[in-house]
Amino acid sequence: MDMSSAPYLPYDGGGGDIPLQEIHKRGTNYTMTNGGNISSSTHLLDLLDEPIPGVGTYDDFHTIDWVREKCKDRERHRKINSKKKESAWEFTKSLYDAWSGWLVVTLTGLASGALAGLIDIAADWMNDLKEGVCLSALWFNHEQCCWGSNETTFEERDKCPQWNTWAELVLGQAEGPGSYILNYIMYIYWALTFAFLAVCLVKVFAPYACGSGIPEIKTILSGFIIRGYLGKWTLMIKTVTLVLAVASGLSLGKEGPLVHVACCCGNIFSYLFPKYSKNEAKKREVLSAASAAGVSVAFGAPIGGVLFSLEEVSYYFPLKTLWRSFFAALVAAFTLRSINPFGNSRLVLFYVEFHSPWHLLELVPFIMLGIFGGLWGAFFIRTNIAWCRRRKTTKLGHYPVLEVLVVTAVTAILAFPNDYTRISTSELISELFNDCGLLDSSKLCDYVSLNSSKSSNELPDRPANQNVYTALWQLALALIFKVLITVVTFGMKVPSGLFIPSMAVGAIAGRLLGVGMEQLAYYHHDWVIFKGWCSPGADCITPGLYAMVGAAACLGGVTRMTVSLVVIMFELTGGLEYIVPLMAAAMTSKWVADAIGREGIYDAHIRLNGYPFLEAKEEFGHKTLAMDVMRPRRNDPPLTVLTQDSMKVEDVETLISETTYSGFPVVVSHESQRLVGFVLRRDLVISIENARKRQDGIVSTSNIYFTEYIPPLPPTSPATLKLRGIMDLSPFTVTDHTPMEIVVDIFRKLGLRQCLVTHNGRLLGIITKKDILKHMAQMANRDPDSILFN
């Protein structure tokens, strides 16, 4: 058989084939093992006198071997337990090993909380810098500048002599067309400056710092290696550029990127503990806890963070990871609360409390908001993916700096004239969630005053004033603006989260519907739908609650979160009694969005980027068999294999030099094709090189044996090379008639990278993770090559 003509043999399930000439360039940081390496997992090179550095690590853009990593950890754990009674030092080491998991999540929580506080404070200050500066203390933002002033009025509580707009500083006057134009120009100038700095820092220092990071973290947690994605440079640049991107006024949030920042912290701290630094599967347990800490500080929702990690990002989530995620989220939230970035003793800017209960009949408008959220989610995913695909396939993607500047300029020019788009998105959500009281000076709360003896917390429904209608028109324009601009903003080469823009769209829609319902109840309280529960002078409708439900619906429609979303939203508001409206809206939005398209935004971006991610929630309902998917296919040349006792060193070296495969099945003979085991290309290269250097008599004509016993040879024959020690004797195998439904399930649950296919014990072919992804794409009428990661 012509070995070089064999078209295919396994790689590792994540990257491409590895040419031999690349092995020396990559040094010792490349080794692959197969998915079934159980019996030989802890002694890969037991024929060598000393371990080779780099064995057991993985190369960039490859998939880890979950089974092998778990075996390594069990062996390490057994070794520690067997030694801990030998001496006090060994006992101390075992205690350190047991506590290292809690230590690493504590450090991750502390760092995540501290960085989140820093980002919040810096983003608020830089956001206000677009409008003016505090002369008495340059480091104060607008709100802090006026805290100590005695000259603020009730109607204009944000105006004080200490805070100067750019027009006041340059022209000496606050009002007039000249002042408006100058403030407009300065707003655009600062927005462009911040956006330019952000995109340049990302492009030059850390290209991985762009986007939200959640699709990549999902892929990494499934076992894929992306070197540098969670490194210290990415952490530093993402932290700085996230502040700049949020301050530029672009339609993006900092919540998604905070998950990436927390995971960077978890990854960096895991290198301090050998238990995690030397085991990729264990490291992913830390990253799951870190993602919980990220959501905890993003929304001030520790429990929601744990559920987010479980529901949305984690691939492998054992019970102890649940506890550690809970602890990491707790530490992170406590750290952020200690910093108190908003000065209101809250973890988030838009914490609100509602005072009137909801009525059963209000479920109808809540479900309508759920339908709107589902439609918005499906619309956003389709349009955003189409735009991102256009960015990848046209010249648009070659000019990331220009794209960011153009989108920023358009955003700033259109946002400034509208009061509700000029302020930051977090402030907008805060105002929309707000339950109007006597002390509110917002235009949204400018109702006609009625004589009421009730307390400020229980104001009756009132007729809307002209200012309310003006605010509603501005909000309607803001809704259209946010819907369109968010589509082109998400995915640009700056850190960009999707949580806040999605919530803003839903909150605007919800507030509009809420005010409409409130006015309907006021003017038509005798209608059947209001009779019995909404009498004149009662506080029936809470528009802020509608805004909150709308925010949850739109966020659910985009991300397809359910349980974690509801918990995050009620942790935000502190209102347990509003769980039912939130649940109704979240489930409705998910059902509507799923009816239009099954994928959430993160899964859609994973598929767009071609990451090798097997979605655990996706069902495989086709009736294909393993023989339909395996390589080689019918009419292809046979599989390239090694024989257990009939190959010479030169034969193997020729095979290695003429092929680019990363591993070879070992069979009894070419005629029988009976499977013996599986050996990795890198292990072969290392073993032969090592034997030539250290073992006397190894020449090109030396026989290579993968058998347990070597038959007696004539005294004149050259020395033999026994390589049974590097062979995996238990590769995962399936028969050719195994349904692909079962094969896919095995790959998902065991984290395999490849699986050999046999028929009556004879080797037929191989199935890799990439083959499965290609097959699933083909079955879904998609381009099979779209799953190839670039």
Side-chain angles (χ1 to χ4, degrees), residues 33 42 100 161 178 187 190 229 273 292 574 576 615 786:
T33 61
T42 53
S100 59
Y187 184 91
W190 282 113
Y229 198 83
F273 304 90
L576 280 169
E615 176 57 70
S786 67

Side-chain angles (χ1 to χ4, degrees), residues 236-249:
M236 288 164 56
I237 299 301
K238 187 118 187 177
T239 303
V240 173
T241 54
L242 179 55
V243 172
L244 291 165
V246 171
S248 70

Side-chain angles (χ1 to χ4, degrees), residues 597-707:
R598 295 288 296 175
E599 289 180 321
I601 187 66
Y602 302 129
D603 295 328
H605 272 272
I606 285 170
R607 186 160 59 79
L608 177 70
N609 292 325
Y611 296 133
F613 181 76
L614 267 176
E615 176 57 70
K617 291 175 268 191
E618 191 179 338
E619 292 181 10
F620 185 86
H622 305 286
K623 292 184 177 180
T624 48
L625 302 175
M627 62 191 298
D628 302 321
V629 181
M630 72 176 191
R631 299 290 190 96
R633 301 285 169 80
R634 203 168 291 166
N635 302 324
D636 282 347
L639 208 60
T640 304
V641 295
L642 303 175
T643 57
Q644 67 174 358
D645 56 7
S646 61
M647 297 190 78
K648 300 184 186 303
V649 170
E650 60 185 0
D651 297 333
V652 175
E653 287 180 327
T654 303
L655 190 70
I656 289 170
S657 64
E658 291 180 353
T659 62
T660 56
Y661 311 135
S662 295
F664 305 90
V666 179
V667 295
V668 174
S669 66
H670 288 303
E671 293 74 30
S672 74
Q673 289 289 309
R674 297 283 179 185
L675 181 63
V676 177
F678 191 87
V679 67
L680 298 170
R681 176 200 192 92
R682 176 168 172 77
D683 292 348
L684 272 176
V685 172
I686 291 175
S687 305
I688 292 172
E689 286 180 356
N690 189 69
R692 281 186 180 276
K693 289 175 186 173
R694 300 188 184 184
Q695 193 174 334
D696 293 335
I698 297 296
V699 292
S700 296
T701 54
S702 297
N703 284 334
I704 290 181
Y705 287 92
F706 292 98
T707 54

Side-chain angles (χ1 to χ4, degrees), residues 148-169:
S149 175
N150 295 321
E151 299 174 51
T152 53
T153 61
F154 177 72
E155 290 78 14
E156 296 181 332
R157 65 185 71 178
D158 59 340
K159 289 189 177 180
C160 60
Q162 290 85 350
W163 179 262
N164 289 96
T165 63
W166 293 109
E168 287 174 320
L169 280 175

